[in-house]
């Protein structure tokens, strides 16, 4: 069984920064792609970023490129999302998720099999 627990969300002003963390249990963490998604009220869950098992490759949705950075520490079974230059439209619940397969650019939430409970990010204008 895999458990994912996010932390680091909060309220920040536009232009500010937050760093989200996701702690994972399970021995397969270091061999899988990990991703971050977000869901705003009334909207579908949206892909944000993904990182390869080694951390050597990353993939982002266009709207966060240059502002967000995904990283991982396999020794700590953790994945991170550094969010800079935050905008009000980044407001959402952010989820980390595990992809059971290859394909870093897969953005459909159905292609991820385990999810955390989410952490709220609110950006005020």
């Amino acid at each position: 069984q895999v458990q994912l627990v996010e932390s680091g969300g909060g309220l920040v002003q536009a232009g500010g920064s937050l760093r989200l963390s996701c702690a994972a249990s399970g021995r397969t963490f270091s061999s899988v792609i990990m991703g971050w998604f977000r869901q705003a009220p009334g909207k579908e869950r949206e892909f944000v970023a993904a990182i390869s098992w080694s951390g050597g490759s990353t993939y982002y949705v266009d709207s966060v490129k240059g502002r967000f950075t995904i990283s991982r520490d396999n020794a700590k079974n953790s994945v991170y999302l550094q969010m800079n230059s935050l905008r009000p439209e980044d407001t959402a619940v952010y989820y980390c998720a595990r992809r059971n397969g290859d394909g870093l650019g897969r953005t459909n939430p159905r292609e991820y099999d385990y999810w955390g409970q989410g952490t709220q990010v609110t950006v005020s204008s």
Side-chain angles (χ1 to χ4, degrees):
Q1 187 74 4
V2 175
Q3 288 189 327
L4 303 174
V5 180
E6 302 97 336
S7 61
L11 173 64
V12 64
Q13 289 187 334
S17 298
L18 282 174
R19 187 185 191 224
L20 305 183
S21 298
C22 173
S25 64
R27 292 177 292 177
T28 62
F29 176 82
S30 62
S31 62
V32 297
I33 289 169
M34 294 296 295
W36 285 96
F37 288 75
R38 64 188 179 186
Q39 188 165 18
K43 295 188 176 181
E44 294 186 350
R45 193 164 295 191
E46 174 191 31
F47 171 85
V48 176
I51 188 166
S52 64
W53 66 270
S54 69
S57 298
T58 57
Y59 184 77
Y60 299 91
V61 67
D62 286 347
S63 60
V64 307
K65 284 180 181 177
R67 300 188 300 123
F68 291 11
T69 303
I70 188 172
S71 61
R72 68 191 296 164
D73 184 340
N74 288 340
K76 296 182 178 180
N77 274 14
S78 294
V79 63
Y80 309 98
L81 187 68
Q82 177 67 42
M83 305 186 295
N84 299 328
S85 302
L86 282 161
R87 305 167 180 169
E89 54 264 39
D90 295 318
T91 295
V93 177
Y94 283 71
Y95 300 89
C96 71
R98 188 192 83 159
R99 170 153 169 73
N100 187 20
D102 57 8
L104 192 62
R106 300 294 179 93
T107 61
N108 190 329
R110 295 180 181 179
E111 300 194 68
Y112 285 73
D113 58 357
Y114 286 96
W115 294 80
Q117 83 289 349
T119 185
Q120 176 71 47
V121 171
T122 303
V123 184
S124 63
S125 57

